[in-house]
């Protein structure tokens, strides 16, 4: 093992806080920065969600005025998507991909540093809009015109922040592709890479393809507001629906950008705690690629109610249903992996199993939304809110939590407190279902989304939902405590922290040394999670 990893003695960590964290080009330190940043944004975005749920606790206007409520819904979404979920997955990628493929670092370390440090400035700018004349953007996270063009002075700041986030994402994606394609250890071919690496490779291509589309769309908004163009202004011959097409051509692949790495994390964890190889590795790779491809041809299912021609509605309805096939293949393979395995239920496994079950609920409500005539009823109701929160919270966020618990011993050299981890899982899982499940029924009963006040008939379920929301928020403060406690100390972790774990990252000591592989490791079949594919 010592031949594979650096000896602890010459670990060459930079001296001094600034040198280590501000100028670092080390993939592990940058991964840590991303994860800490993501956690900070998760708390800020969560606080905004608490404002939303507090206002909706009872009918009538309670705490905030409607304009501020709309700012909260928009900012909550932008911060959670671009500030919490995406940077968390980039952080996991930075930490784990070089270790998983046997690379000494990321391919472009200085660009890696830059792509991170853009983020705090972008989000400072986005958050500063809350204090400007007219307040933050308040047009939903989609920033639809003409509503968004009525925003105050903050508009240009919000657009520029979105541009910076896109630049950061594209640089991170290029780095990941270069690392995976050029820096794998000898003997690791594409079809025996860990699935987390595969899903990130596919995600990175999605990012490069769609972030410029978002940039183009929001730049057109900018010129409409400040330079007298009429891209989306009907009075000048433009079309506001064109913006929806541009946005969702970005927005739908974006959904898969947030869930594909989650698929990868879960595909690492389930085999470890089932103590058997992943069922159908090759089909999982092809399913991931199929989902990515199909994500480009389904965008208008977000727009069934805007007045599309019937042929368009039929095409987008069937294309959306087709995506259920590769997703179903994945869920089948995860269940088959667990089938007759020697399963144990440590915290990462609990989150991974929770992911499979609750993500599937989100998938089923997605199929309901895919049916165009039914979507006329569901569209812009709380049913949609329930659907995408099942996919993004019990999907993406649960996978991030699972990954943190799974790799935390490798990062810190300490085992987290298993009892506290299990409390966090059950507390979160009960709360998140109390929070989002009633919203399906609110939506079916006709409660629109993004409203600060509602008819008294929706009162009981909103109160239940808000109580679940506060409980879920509190559980995440508990999560921060668990992570902090683990970083500070705990039972020392072995190199192979989990009994069934396979993969190169488990051949280096825990905590992982500052520099991992000085010479490329030799790949042996027992190091690969999927030896059946080692040709």
């Amino acid at each position: 093992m010592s031949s594979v990893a650096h000896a602890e003695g010459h670990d060459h960590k930079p001296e001094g806080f600034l040198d280590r964290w501000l100028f670092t080009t080390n993939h592990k330190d940058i991964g840590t920065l991303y994860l800490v940043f993501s956690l900070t944004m998760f708390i800020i975005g969560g606080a905004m969600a608490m404002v939303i749920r507090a206002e909706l606790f009872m009918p009538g206007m309670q705490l905030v005025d409607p304009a501020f409520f709309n700012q909260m819904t928009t900012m909550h979404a932008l911060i959670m998507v671009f500030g919490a979920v995406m940077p968390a997955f980039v952080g996991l990628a930075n930490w784990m991909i070089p270790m998983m493929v046997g690379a000494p670092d990321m391919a472009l370390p200085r660009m890696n540093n830059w792509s991170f440090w853009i983020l705090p400035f972008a989000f400072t700018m986005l958050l500063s809009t809350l204090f400007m004349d007219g307040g933050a953007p308040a047009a939903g996270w989609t920033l639809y015109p003409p509503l968004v063009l009525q925003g105050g002075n903050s508009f240009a700041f919000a657009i520029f922040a979105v541009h910076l986030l896109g630049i950061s994402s594209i640089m991170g994606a290029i780095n990941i592709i270069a690392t995976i394609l050029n820096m794998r250890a000898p003997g690791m071919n594409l079809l025996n890479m860990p699935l987390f690496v595969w899903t990130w490779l596919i995600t990175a291509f999605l990012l490069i393809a769609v972030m410029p589309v978002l940039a183009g769309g929001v730049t057109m908004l900018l010129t409409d507001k400040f330079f007298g163009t009429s891209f989306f202004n009907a009075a000048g011959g433009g079309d506001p629906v064109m913006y929806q097409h541009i946005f969702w051509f970005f927005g739908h692949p974006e959904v898969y950008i947030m869930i594909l790495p989650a698929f990868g994390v879960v595909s690492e964890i389930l085999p470890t705690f089932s103590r058997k190889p992943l069922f159908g590795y090759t089909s999982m790779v092809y399913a991931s690629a199929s989902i990515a491809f199909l994500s480009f041809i389904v965008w208008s299912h977000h727009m069934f109610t805007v007045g599309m021609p019937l042929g368009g509605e039929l095409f987008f309805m069937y294309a959306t249903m087709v995506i259920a096939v590769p997703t179903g293949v994945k869920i089948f393979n995860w269940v088959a992996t667990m089938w007759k395995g020697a399963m144990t239920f440590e915290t990462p496994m609990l989150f991974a199993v929770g992911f499979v079950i609750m993500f599937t609920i989100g998938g089923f409500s997605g199929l309901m939304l895919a049916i165009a005539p039914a979507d006329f009823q569901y569209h812009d109701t709380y049913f949609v809110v329930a659907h995408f929160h099942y996919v993004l919270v019990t999907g993406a966020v649960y996978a991030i939590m699972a990954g943190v618990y799974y790799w935390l011993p490798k990062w810190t050299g300490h085992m987290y407190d298993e009892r506290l981890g299990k409390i966090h899982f059950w507390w979160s899982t009960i709360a998140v279902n109390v929070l989002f499940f009633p919203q399906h029924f609110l939506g079916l009963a006709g409660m629109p989304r993004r409203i600060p006040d509602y008819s008294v008939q929706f009162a009981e379920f909103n109160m239940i939902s808000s109580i679940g929301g506060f409980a879920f928020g509190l559980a995440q403060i508990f999560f921060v405590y668990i992570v902090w406690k683990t970083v500070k100390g705990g039972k020392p972790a072995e190199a192979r922290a989990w009994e069934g774990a396979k993969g190169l990252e488990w051949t280096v000591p825990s905590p992982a040394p500052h520099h991992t592989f000085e010479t490329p490791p030799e790949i042996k079949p027992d190091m690969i999670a999927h030896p059946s594919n080692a040709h």
Side-chain angles (χ1 to χ4, degrees), residues 341-356:
M343 289 169 73
T344 52
F345 293 97
E346 287 85 348
T347 310
M349 184 64 162
L350 287 174
F351 273 100
V353 174
F355 167 93
V356 173

mmCIF file of all heavy atoms in Angstrom, residues 341-356:
data_model
loop_
_atom_site.group_PDB
_atom_site.id
_atom_site.type_symbol
_atom_site.label_atom_id
_atom_site.label_comp_id
_atom_site.label_asym_id
_atom_site.label_seq_id
_atom_site.Cartn_x
_atom_site.Cartn_y
_atom_site.Cartn_z
ATOM 1 N N GLY A 341 -28.107 -10.179 -1.175
ATOM 2 C CA GLY A 341 -26.800 -9.735 -0.704
ATOM 3 C C GLY A 341 -26.730 -9.857 0.815
ATOM 4 O O GLY A 341 -27.755 -9.943 1.488
ATOM 5 N N ALA A 342 -25.514 -9.850 1.359
ATOM 6 C CA ALA A 342 -25.341 -9.864 2.824
ATOM 7 C C ALA A 342 -25.421 -8.414 3.303
ATOM 8 O O ALA A 342 -24.410 -7.794 3.628
ATOM 9 C CB ALA A 342 -24.001 -10.494 3.188
ATOM 10 N N MET A 343 -26.646 -7.872 3.308
ATOM 11 C CA MET A 343 -26.801 -6.434 3.514
ATOM 12 C C MET A 343 -26.641 -6.019 4.975
ATOM 13 O O MET A 343 -27.085 -6.721 5.878
ATOM 14 C CB MET A 343 -28.185 -5.983 3.030
ATOM 15 C CG MET A 343 -28.331 -6.001 1.530
ATOM 16 S SD MET A 343 -30.032 -5.782 1.038
ATOM 17 C CE MET A 343 -30.265 -4.065 1.404
ATOM 18 N N THR A 344 -25.968 -4.886 5.190
ATOM 19 C CA THR A 344 -25.986 -4.234 6.496
ATOM 20 C C THR A 344 -26.419 -2.793 6.260
ATOM 21 O O THR A 344 -26.252 -2.272 5.162
ATOM 22 C CB THR A 344 -24.600 -4.245 7.169
ATOM 23 O OG1 THR A 344 -23.646 -3.717 6.242
ATOM 24 C CG2 THR A 344 -24.189 -5.656 7.576
ATOM 25 N N PHE A 345 -26.943 -2.175 7.321
ATOM 26 C CA PHE A 345 -27.577 -0.870 7.134
ATOM 27 C C PHE A 345 -26.862 0.223 7.922
ATOM 28 O O PHE A 345 -27.421 0.811 8.828
ATOM 29 C CB PHE A 345 -29.062 -0.957 7.505
ATOM 30 C CG PHE A 345 -29.825 -1.825 6.549
ATOM 31 C CD1 PHE A 345 -30.079 -3.154 6.847
ATOM 32 C CD2 PHE A 345 -30.241 -1.329 5.323
ATOM 33 C CE1 PHE A 345 -30.754 -3.965 5.947
ATOM 34 C CE2 PHE A 345 -30.917 -2.129 4.421
ATOM 35 C CZ PHE A 345 -31.167 -3.454 4.729
ATOM 36 N N GLU A 346 -25.600 0.469 7.546
ATOM 37 C CA GLU A 346 -24.931 1.646 8.079
ATOM 38 C C GLU A 346 -25.557 2.887 7.438
ATOM 39 O O GLU A 346 -26.276 2.788 6.458
ATOM 40 C CB GLU A 346 -23.430 1.588 7.784
ATOM 41 C CG GLU A 346 -22.670 0.576 8.626
ATOM 42 C CD GLU A 346 -22.703 -0.843 8.040
ATOM 43 O OE1 GLU A 346 -23.480 -1.105 7.111
ATOM 44 O OE2 GLU A 346 -21.929 -1.682 8.522
ATOM 45 N N THR A 347 -25.237 4.068 7.989
ATOM 46 C CA THR A 347 -25.893 5.302 7.527
ATOM 47 C C THR A 347 -25.808 5.523 6.016
ATOM 48 O O THR A 347 -26.818 5.894 5.396
ATOM 49 C CB THR A 347 -25.330 6.513 8.292
ATOM 50 O OG1 THR A 347 -25.363 6.211 9.687
ATOM 51 C CG2 THR A 347 -26.155 7.754 8.041
ATOM 52 N N PRO A 348 -24.635 5.315 5.350
ATOM 53 C CA PRO A 348 -24.624 5.545 3.890
ATOM 54 C C PRO A 348 -25.623 4.640 3.173
ATOM 55 O O PRO A 348 -26.302 5.074 2.234
ATOM 56 C CB PRO A 348 -23.185 5.192 3.472
ATOM 57 C CG PRO A 348 -22.379 5.223 4.718
ATOM 58 C CD PRO A 348 -23.310 4.924 5.858
ATOM 59 N N MET A 349 -25.731 3.401 3.631
ATOM 60 C CA MET A 349 -26.669 2.460 3.005
ATOM 61 C C MET A 349 -28.112 2.901 3.247
ATOM 62 O O MET A 349 -28.954 2.834 2.346
ATOM 63 C CB MET A 349 -26.439 1.057 3.579
ATOM 64 C CG MET A 349 -27.305 -0.010 2.934
ATOM 65 S SD MET A 349 -26.913 -0.201 1.177
ATOM 66 C CE MET A 349 -27.636 -1.808 0.860
ATOM 67 N N LEU A 350 -28.412 3.394 4.453
ATOM 68 C CA LEU A 350 -29.772 3.876 4.724
ATOM 69 C C LEU A 350 -30.144 5.001 3.766
ATOM 70 O O LEU A 350 -31.228 4.995 3.176
ATOM 71 C CB LEU A 350 -29.884 4.372 6.178
ATOM 72 C CG LEU A 350 -29.895 3.305 7.272
ATOM 73 C CD1 LEU A 350 -29.850 3.956 8.648
ATOM 74 C CD2 LEU A 350 -31.137 2.417 7.159
ATOM 75 N N PHE A 351 -29.225 5.955 3.601
ATOM 76 C CA PHE A 351 -29.512 7.062 2.681
ATOM 77 C C PHE A 351 -29.634 6.565 1.239
ATOM 78 O O PHE A 351 -30.452 7.061 0.469
ATOM 79 C CB PHE A 351 -28.446 8.151 2.798
ATOM 80 C CG PHE A 351 -28.737 9.155 3.881
ATOM 81 C CD1 PHE A 351 -28.104 9.071 5.110
ATOM 82 C CD2 PHE A 351 -29.662 10.171 3.669
ATOM 83 C CE1 PHE A 351 -28.389 9.998 6.114
ATOM 84 C CE2 PHE A 351 -29.946 11.102 4.661
ATOM 85 C CZ PHE A 351 -29.311 11.010 5.892
ATOM 86 N N ALA A 352 -28.810 5.567 0.866
ATOM 87 C CA ALA A 352 -28.870 5.054 -0.509
ATOM 88 C C ALA A 352 -30.188 4.309 -0.753
ATOM 89 O O ALA A 352 -30.817 4.478 -1.801
ATOM 90 C CB ALA A 352 -27.674 4.141 -0.782
ATOM 91 N N VAL A 353 -30.615 3.496 0.213
ATOM 92 C CA VAL A 353 -31.885 2.768 0.058
ATOM 93 C C VAL A 353 -33.049 3.764 0.082
ATOM 94 O O VAL A 353 -33.996 3.661 -0.710
ATOM 95 C CB VAL A 353 -32.051 1.695 1.159
ATOM 96 C CG1 VAL A 353 -33.423 1.040 1.078
ATOM 97 C CG2 VAL A 353 -30.959 0.627 1.032
ATOM 98 N N GLY A 354 -32.953 4.759 0.981
ATOM 99 C CA GLY A 354 -33.976 5.818 1.011
ATOM 100 C C GLY A 354 -34.059 6.526 -0.331
ATOM 101 O O GLY A 354 -35.145 6.814 -0.840
ATOM 102 N N PHE A 355 -32.896 6.777 -0.914
ATOM 103 C CA PHE A 355 -32.841 7.392 -2.244
ATOM 104 C C PHE A 355 -33.609 6.548 -3.254
ATOM 105 O O PHE A 355 -34.451 7.059 -3.996
ATOM 106 C CB PHE A 355 -31.372 7.523 -2.684
ATOM 107 C CG PHE A 355 -31.194 7.856 -4.147
ATOM 108 C CD1 PHE A 355 -31.077 9.178 -4.551
ATOM 109 C CD2 PHE A 355 -31.141 6.858 -5.115
ATOM 110 C CE1 PHE A 355 -30.916 9.501 -5.900
ATOM 111 C CE2 PHE A 355 -30.974 7.170 -6.462
ATOM 112 C CZ PHE A 355 -30.870 8.493 -6.853
ATOM 113 N N VAL A 356 -33.323 5.245 -3.315
ATOM 114 C CA VAL A 356 -33.943 4.389 -4.333
ATOM 115 C C VAL A 356 -35.467 4.419 -4.193
ATOM 116 O O VAL A 356 -36.199 4.576 -5.173
ATOM 117 C CB VAL A 356 -33.412 2.939 -4.240
ATOM 118 C CG1 VAL A 356 -34.182 2.019 -5.183
ATOM 119 C CG2 VAL A 356 -31.915 2.905 -4.572
#
